[in-house]
Amino acid sequence: PQRMKKVCCIGAGYVGGPTSAVMATKNPDVSVTVVDYNKDRIEAWKTNELPIYEPDLLDVVQHARDPVAKRIPNLFFSTDVEGAIAEADIILLSVNTPTKSMGHGAGQASELCHLESAVRRIGEVATSDKIIVEKSTVPCKAAETVRDILNATAKPGLNFEILSNPEFLAEGTAVRNLLHPDRILIGSLNTPRGLAAARSLADLYASWVDRSRIITINLYSSELAKLAANALLAQRISSVNALSAMCESLGADIDEVSHCVGLDQRIGPKMLKASVGFGGSCFRKDILSLAYIAESLHLPQVADYWRSIVGINEYQKERFTRRIVKCLYSSLSSKRLAVLGFAYKKDTGDTRETSAITVVNNLINEGANVRVYDPLVEEDRVWEEVLASSDRRETVKQRLSVWPSAYEACADADAVIILTEWDEFSNKISGPGDARGRGGDRTKRVLDWSRVAGLMQKPMYVFDGRNVLDAAPLEKMGFRVESIGKGVV
Ligand code: NAD
Ligand code: UDX
């Protein structure tokens, strides 16, 4: 197949930006242009203050974007969506596909309006054959929708091949995941043109991914495999979280249970960490989409099965809040609670679907004053997220505050509540006095728990929603540590 020379990526978000940067770095002969109609986002990608935080991302972006030594830049960011489409041989669709908020399937189905508008633009602008790649996570058979829109809008005589190439990166480890993927899926039609298009895309990945990891399959298997992967990963977390509730009553320790089951090679150790509940823009949305598809296939039992994973996740957040209320003598009225961590996981500033939104709102509704600190999340994001999901906005404005350090958040607090597993909060990783934290990197600070003890009200409760604490040394300092899935024998 023909070597692709010009790639256009539509959507400069968490997937489009890092994926394009790695592809450009590893294919110096290929020009990669990332386009988005969000002007601020595009401008930020051109600076060293990238619009998203990912470890090592700036190095990769700079390598391909900025002229150095003999290397000619081959990574570009632009709002000229039409221009980039017109020039491209291959177009990666990396637009957002959130859960529908209104109309038929609201709260369940994936919203494809952004995908549709991007595809319409391709149809209107294209004057040459193109390979169109679904990088966004889409419902099964979305490729047929894409084909239908192109057939209706494009100039006659042009050929479009549609591929499914779902992205499996996780935030916080995006660059590592992109450089060393477990697998690259490329789904195509089983026609000579479809297979040739798949080979063209495979060649771009083969610049840095071993061919044995590049899997070419049926278009619809590829679409379904992405939803299936996320559902199975989330299912492991909900299974462990369901067991954590049992551990708390039984006097068992969920970390020990997870460790033991994970030693079975058929199960494996990853994605078995009990928590206050999974968050992020993908798991909930993709499971609900899978359930909605099952429902539309007249498989209500299958739909219920998948939805129960989300159900346990909601239950875990509520259960965590109830435990806080119970320990604090069944009333949070006017109590000061320090919330450490607001991002949905460490090493990202992303707050989409973070469990902290639910927990903070629950605490405020119980009458608490909630003082939030997160090393990376902007203050405005905390306010927007909490206000957007509250039906008591005036109360939120009175009772929520956001602080630039953990110590300020913990001042006079009745309890500390850890909602993100930032290394900073853990006393397992390294103690105070560690050299990290110098040089101004906010993600490398270390919390001095003895200093926290000096700031708090008594009794000093710590609710560890991420099991990042070794309770024994903290208990020696006088803390009462309540962890997920750890019962009192
Ligand atoms: P995002 O919201 O960060 O980025 C999407 C970008 O697309 C936005 O900047 C938006 O302005 C832009 N956009 C939307 N419609 C457009 C149009 N018609 N023309 C030009 N630009 C347009 O989303 P994301 O987190 O990068 O996710 C993108 C897709 O990848 C989703 O389908 C998601 O499910 C999937 N995915 C995400 C992750 C993740 O970790 N975030 C991982 C794997 C897959
Ligand atoms: C997920 C998938 O892992 C990734 O493959 C897909 O492409 C996008 O969705 P992401 O949401 O970025 O990635 O992060 P992930 O590491 O999967 O964590 C999701 C949520 O689950 C986080 O809130 C995390 O804290 C939580 N989690 C993860 C647990 O509670 N326990 C675990 O063992 C792992």
Side-chain angles (χ1 to χ4, degrees), residues 142-199:
E144 282 189 358
T145 309
V146 173
R147 189 173 306 113
D148 196 54
I149 297 169
L150 288 170
N151 284 343
T153 53
K155 292 167 191 65
L158 294 182
N159 183 49
F160 297 95
E161 278 310 316
I162 297 143
L163 302 177
S164 160
N165 170 223
E167 183 48 60
F168 293 97
L169 68 81
E171 289 176 32
T173 53
V175 171
R176 180 156 37 99
N177 298 152
L178 286 164
L179 289 174
H180 309 285
D182 289 340
R183 73 314 204 178
I184 299 291
L185 289 193
I186 302 178
S188 74
L189 287 183
N190 195 13
T191 60
R193 275 183 174 158
L195 296 172
R199 280 198 298 276

Coordinates of all heavy atoms in Angstrom, one line a residue, residues 142-199:
A142 N -20.8 2.2 14.2 CA -20.7 3.7 13.9 C -20.0 3.8 12.6 O -20.3 4.8 11.9 CB -19.8 4.3 15.0
A143 N -19.2 2.9 12.2 CA -18.5 3.0 10.9 C -19.5 3.1 9.7 O -19.3 3.7 8.7 CB -17.6 1.8 10.6
E144 N -20.7 2.4 9.9 CA -21.7 2.5 8.9 C -22.3 3.9 8.8 O -22.6 4.4 7.8 CB -22.8 1.5 9.2 CG -22.4 0.1 8.8 CD -23.5 -0.9 8.9 OE1 -24.7 -0.6 9.2 OE2 -23.2 -2.1 8.5
T145 N -22.5 4.5 10.0 CA -23.0 5.9 10.1 C -22.0 6.8 9.3 O -22.4 7.7 8.5 CB -23.1 6.3 11.5 OG1 -23.8 5.4 12.2 CG2 -23.7 7.7 11.6
V146 N -20.7 6.6 9.6 CA -19.7 7.5 9.0 C -19.8 7.3 7.5 O -19.8 8.3 6.7 CB -18.3 7.1 9.5 CG1 -17.2 7.8 8.7 CG2 -18.1 7.4 11.0
R147 N -19.9 6.0 7.0 CA -19.9 5.8 5.6 C -21.2 6.4 5.0 O -21.1 7.0 3.9 CB -19.9 4.3 5.3 CG -19.7 3.9 3.8 CD -19.6 2.4 3.6 NE -18.5 1.9 4.3 CZ -18.7 1.0 5.3 NH1 -19.9 0.5 5.6 NH2 -17.6 0.5 5.9
D148 N -22.3 6.3 5.6 CA -23.5 6.9 5.1 C -23.4 8.4 5.0 O -23.8 9.0 4.0 CB -24.7 6.5 6.1 CG -26.0 6.7 5.4 OD1 -26.2 6.1 4.3 OD2 -26.8 7.5 6.0
I149 N -22.8 9.1 6.0 CA -22.7 10.5 5.9 C -21.8 10.9 4.7 O -22.1 11.8 4.0 CB -22.1 11.1 7.2 CG1 -23.1 10.8 8.4 CG2 -21.9 12.6 7.1 CD1 -22.5 11.1 9.8
L150 N -20.7 10.2 4.6 CA -19.8 10.5 3.5 C -20.4 10.3 2.1 O -20.3 11.1 1.2 CB -18.5 9.6 3.6 CG -17.6 10.1 4.8 CD1 -16.5 9.0 5.0 CD2 -17.0 11.4 4.6
N151 N -21.2 9.1 2.0 CA -21.8 8.9 0.7 C -22.8 10.0 0.4 O -22.9 10.4 -0.8 CB -22.6 7.6 0.8 CG -21.7 6.4 0.7 OD1 -20.6 6.5 0.3 ND2 -22.2 5.2 1.2
A152 N -23.4 10.6 1.4 CA -24.5 11.6 1.2 C -23.8 13.0 0.9 O -24.4 13.8 0.2 CB -25.4 11.7 2.3
T153 N -22.7 13.2 1.5 CA -22.1 14.6 1.4 C -21.0 14.8 0.5 O -20.7 15.9 0.0 CB -21.7 15.1 2.8 OG1 -20.7 14.1 3.3 CG2 -22.8 15.2 3.8
A154 N -20.2 13.7 0.2 CA -19.0 13.9 -0.6 C -19.2 14.0 -2.1 O -20.3 13.6 -2.6 CB -18.0 12.7 -0.3
K155 N -18.2 14.5 -2.8 CA -18.3 14.6 -4.2 C -18.2 13.2 -4.8 O -17.5 12.3 -4.3 CB -17.1 15.4 -4.7 CG -17.2 16.9 -4.3 CD -15.9 17.6 -4.5 CE -15.9 18.9 -3.8 NZ -16.1 18.8 -2.3
P156 N -19.0 13.0 -5.9 CA -19.0 11.6 -6.5 C -17.6 11.2 -7.0 O -16.8 12.1 -7.4 CB -20.0 11.7 -7.6 CG -20.4 13.1 -7.7 CD -19.8 13.9 -6.6
G157 N -17.3 9.9 -7.0 CA -16.1 9.4 -7.5 C -15.0 9.3 -6.5 O -14.0 8.6 -6.8
L158 N -15.1 9.9 -5.3 CA -14.1 9.8 -4.3 C -14.2 8.5 -3.5 O -15.4 8.0 -3.3 CB -14.1 11.0 -3.3 CG -13.8 12.3 -3.9 CD1 -13.9 13.4 -2.8 CD2 -12.5 12.3 -4.6
N159 N -13.1 7.9 -3.1 CA -13.2 6.7 -2.3 C -12.7 7.0 -0.8 O -11.7 7.5 -0.6 CB -12.3 5.6 -2.9 CG -12.4 4.3 -2.2 OD1 -13.5 3.8 -1.9 ND2 -11.2 3.8 -1.8
F160 N -13.6 6.5 0.1 CA -13.2 6.7 1.5 C -13.2 5.3 2.1 O -14.2 4.5 2.0 CB -14.3 7.5 2.2 CG -14.4 8.9 1.8 CD1 -15.3 9.2 0.8 CD2 -13.5 9.9 2.2 CE1 -15.4 10.5 0.3 CE2 -13.6 11.2 1.8 CZ -14.6 11.5 0.8
E161 N -12.1 5.0 2.8 CA -12.1 3.7 3.5 C -12.2 4.0 5.0 O -11.5 5.0 5.5 CB -10.8 2.9 3.3 CG -10.8 2.1 2.0 CD -12.0 1.2 1.9 OE1 -12.4 0.6 2.8 OE2 -12.6 1.2 0.7
I162 N -13.0 3.3 5.7 CA -13.2 3.6 7.1 C -12.6 2.5 8.0 O -12.9 1.3 7.8 CB -14.7 3.8 7.4 CG1 -15.2 5.0 6.6 CG2 -15.0 4.0 8.9 CD1 -16.6 4.9 6.1
L163 N -11.7 2.9 8.9 CA -11.1 2.0 9.8 C -11.5 2.3 11.2 O -11.7 3.4 11.6 CB -9.5 2.1 9.7 CG -8.9 1.9 8.3 CD1 -7.4 2.1 8.3 CD2 -9.2 0.5 7.8
S164 N -11.4 1.2 12.0 CA -11.6 1.4 13.5 C -10.2 1.1 14.1 O -9.6 0.1 13.9 CB -12.6 0.4 14.0 OG -12.4 0.3 15.4
N165 N -9.8 2.1 14.9 CA -8.4 2.0 15.5 C -8.5 2.6 16.9 O -8.0 3.6 17.2 CB -7.4 2.7 14.6 CG -6.0 2.9 15.3 OD1 -5.4 3.9 15.2 ND2 -5.6 1.8 15.9
P166 N -9.3 1.9 17.8 CA -9.5 2.4 19.1 C -8.3 2.7 19.9 O -7.3 2.0 19.7 CB -10.4 1.4 19.8 CG -10.2 0.1 19.0 CD -9.8 0.5 17.6
E167 N -8.3 3.6 20.8 CA -7.2 4.0 21.6 C -7.3 3.4 23.0 O -8.4 3.5 23.6 CB -7.1 5.5 21.7 CG -5.9 6.0 22.5 CD -4.6 5.3 22.0 OE1 -4.2 5.4 20.9 OE2 -4.0 4.6 22.9
F168 N -6.2 2.8 23.5 CA -6.3 2.2 24.9 C -5.5 2.9 25.9 O -5.3 2.4 27.0 CB -5.8 0.7 24.7 CG -6.8 -0.1 23.9 CD1 -6.6 -0.3 22.6 CD2 -7.9 -0.6 24.5 CE1 -7.5 -1.1 21.8 CE2 -8.8 -1.4 23.8 CZ -8.6 -1.6 22.4
L169 N -5.0 4.1 25.6 CA -4.1 4.8 26.6 C -5.0 5.1 27.9 O -6.2 5.3 27.8 CB -3.5 6.1 26.0 CG -4.4 7.3 25.7 CD1 -4.7 8.1 26.9 CD2 -3.7 8.1 24.6
A170 N -4.3 5.2 29.0 CA -4.9 5.6 30.2 C -4.3 7.0 30.6 O -3.1 7.2 30.3 CB -4.7 4.6 31.4
E171 N -5.0 7.9 31.1 CA -4.5 9.2 31.5 C -3.5 9.0 32.6 O -3.6 8.1 33.4 CB -5.6 10.2 31.8 CG -6.4 10.6 30.6 CD -7.5 11.5 30.8 OE1 -7.5 12.3 31.8 OE2 -8.5 11.4 30.1
G172 N -2.5 9.9 32.6 CA -1.5 9.8 33.7 C -0.3 8.9 33.2 O 0.8 9.0 33.7
T173 N -0.6 8.0 32.2 CA 0.5 7.2 31.7 C 0.4 7.2 30.2 O 0.8 6.2 29.5 CB 0.3 5.7 32.2 OG1 -1.0 5.3 32.0 CG2 0.6 5.6 33.7
A174 N -0.2 8.2 29.6 CA -0.5 8.2 28.2 C 0.7 8.0 27.3 O 0.7 7.2 26.4 CB -1.2 9.5 27.8
V175 N 1.8 8.7 27.6 CA 3.0 8.6 26.7 C 3.6 7.2 26.8 O 3.9 6.6 25.8 CB 4.0 9.7 27.1 CG1 5.3 9.5 26.4 CG2 3.5 11.1 26.8
R176 N 3.7 6.7 28.0 CA 4.2 5.3 28.2 C 3.3 4.3 27.4 O 3.8 3.5 26.7 CB 4.3 5.0 29.7 CG 4.8 3.6 30.0 CD 5.4 3.5 31.3 NE 4.8 4.2 32.4 CZ 3.9 3.6 33.3 NH1 3.6 2.4 33.2 NH2 3.4 4.3 34.3
N177 N 2.0 4.5 27.6 CA 1.1 3.5 26.9 C 1.2 3.6 25.4 O 1.1 2.6 24.7 CB -0.4 3.8 27.3 CG -0.6 3.6 28.8 OD1 -1.5 4.3 29.4 ND2 0.1 2.8 29.4
L178 N 1.4 4.9 24.9 CA 1.4 5.1 23.4 C 2.8 4.5 22.9 O 2.8 3.9 21.8 CB 1.3 6.5 23.1 CG -0.1 7.1 23.2 CD1 -0.1 8.6 23.2 CD2 -1.0 6.6 22.0
L179 N 3.9 4.7 23.7 CA 5.2 4.2 23.2 C 5.2 2.7 23.3 O 5.9 2.1 22.5 CB 6.3 4.8 24.0 CG 6.5 6.3 23.8 CD1 7.6 6.9 24.8 CD2 7.0 6.6 22.3
H180 N 4.6 2.1 24.3 CA 4.7 0.6 24.5 C 3.3 0.0 24.6 O 2.9 -0.5 25.6 CB 5.5 0.3 25.8 CG 6.8 1.1 25.8 ND1 7.9 0.7 25.1 CD2 7.2 2.2 26.5 CE1 8.9 1.5 25.3 NE2 8.5 2.4 26.2
P181 N 2.5 0.1 23.5 CA 1.1 -0.4 23.6 C 1.1 -2.0 23.7 O 2.0 -2.6 23.2 CB 0.5 0.0 22.3 CG 1.6 0.2 21.4 CD 2.8 0.6 22.2
D182 N 0.1 -2.5 24.5 CA -0.1 -3.9 24.5 C -0.4 -4.4 23.1 O 0.0 -5.5 22.7 CB -1.2 -4.3 25.5 CG -0.8 -4.1 26.9 OD1 0.4 -4.0 27.2 OD2 -1.7 -3.9 27.8
R183 N -1.3 -3.7 22.5 CA -1.7 -4.0 21.1 C -2.3 -2.8 20.4 O -2.7 -1.9 21.1 CB -2.7 -5.2 21.1 CG -4.2 -4.9 21.5 CD -4.4 -4.1 22.7 NE -5.7 -4.4 23.4 CZ -6.0 -3.8 24.5 NH1 -5.2 -2.9 25.1 NH2 -7.2 -4.0 25.1
I184 N -2.2 -2.9 19.1 CA -2.9 -1.9 18.3 C -3.9 -2.6 17.5 O -3.6 -3.6 16.8 CB -1.8 -1.2 17.3 CG1 -0.7 -0.5 18.0 CG2 -2.5 -0.3 16.3 CD1 -1.1 0.7 18.7
L185 N -5.2 -2.2 17.6 CA -6.2 -2.8 16.8 C -6.5 -2.0 15.6 O -6.7 -0.8 15.7 CB -7.5 -2.9 17.7 CG -7.6 -3.8 18.9 CD1 -9.1 -3.9 19.3 CD2 -7.0 -5.2 18.5
I186 N -6.6 -2.7 14.5 CA -7.0 -2.0 13.3 C -8.1 -2.8 12.6 O -7.9 -3.9 12.2 CB -5.9 -1.8 12.3 CG1 -4.8 -1.0 13.0 CG2 -6.4 -1.1 11.0 CD1 -3.5 -0.7 12.1
G187 N -9.4 -2.3 12.7 CA -10.5 -3.0 12.1 C -10.8 -2.4 10.7 O -10.8 -1.2 10.6
S188 N -11.1 -3.3 9.8 CA -11.4 -2.8 8.4 C -12.4 -3.8 7.8 O -12.7 -4.9 8.3 CB -10.2 -2.8 7.5 OG -9.8 -4.1 7.2
L189 N -13.0 -3.3 6.7 CA -13.8 -4.2 5.9 C -12.9 -5.3 5.3 O -11.7 -5.0 5.0 CB -14.5 -3.5 4.8 CG -15.7 -2.6 5.2 CD1 -16.4 -1.9 4.0 CD2 -16.7 -3.3 6.0
N190 N -13.4 -6.4 5.0 CA -12.6 -7.5 4.4 C -12.6 -7.4 2.9 O -13.0 -8.4 2.2 CB -13.1 -8.9 4.9 CG -12.1 -10.0 4.7 OD1 -11.0 -9.7 4.3 ND2 -12.6 -11.2 4.8
T191 N -12.3 -6.2 2.4 CA -12.3 -6.0 0.9 C -10.9 -5.6 0.6 O -10.1 -5.2 1.4 CB -13.2 -4.9 0.5 OG1 -12.8 -3.7 1.2 CG2 -14.7 -5.1 0.9
P192 N -10.5 -5.8 -0.7 CA -9.1 -5.4 -1.1 C -8.8 -4.0 -0.6 O -7.7 -3.7 -0.1 CB -9.1 -5.5 -2.6 CG -10.1 -6.6 -2.9 CD -11.2 -6.4 -1.9
R193 N -9.7 -3.0 -0.8 CA -9.4 -1.6 -0.5 C -9.3 -1.5 1.1 O -8.5 -0.7 1.6 CB -10.5 -0.7 -1.0 CG -10.2 -0.3 -2.4 CD -11.3 0.7 -2.8 NE -11.0 1.2 -4.1 CZ -11.9 1.8 -4.9 NH1 -13.2 1.8 -4.5 NH2 -11.6 2.3 -6.1
G194 N -10.3 -2.2 1.7 CA -10.3 -2.1 3.2 C -9.0 -2.6 3.8 O -8.4 -2.0 4.7
L195 N -8.5 -3.7 3.3 CA -7.3 -4.4 3.8 C -6.1 -3.5 3.5 O -5.2 -3.4 4.3 CB -7.2 -5.8 3.2 CG -8.3 -6.7 3.7 CD1 -8.2 -8.1 2.9 CD2 -8.2 -7.0 5.2
A196 N -6.1 -2.9 2.3 CA -5.0 -2.0 1.9 C -4.9 -0.8 2.8 O -3.8 -0.4 3.3 CB -5.1 -1.6 0.4
A197 N -6.1 -0.2 3.1 CA -6.1 0.9 4.1 C -5.6 0.5 5.4 O -4.8 1.2 6.1 CB -7.5 1.4 4.2
A198 N -6.0 -0.7 5.9 CA -5.5 -1.2 7.2 C -4.0 -1.3 7.2 O -3.3 -1.0 8.2 CB -6.2 -2.5 7.5
R199 N -3.4 -1.8 6.1 CA -2.0 -1.9 6.0 C -1.3 -0.6 6.0 O -0.2 -0.4 6.6 CB -1.6 -2.7 4.7 CG -1.7 -4.2 4.8 CD -1.0 -5.0 3.8 NE -1.4 -4.7 2.4 CZ -2.5 -5.3 1.8 NH1 -3.1 -6.2 2.5 NH2 -2.8 -4.9 0.6

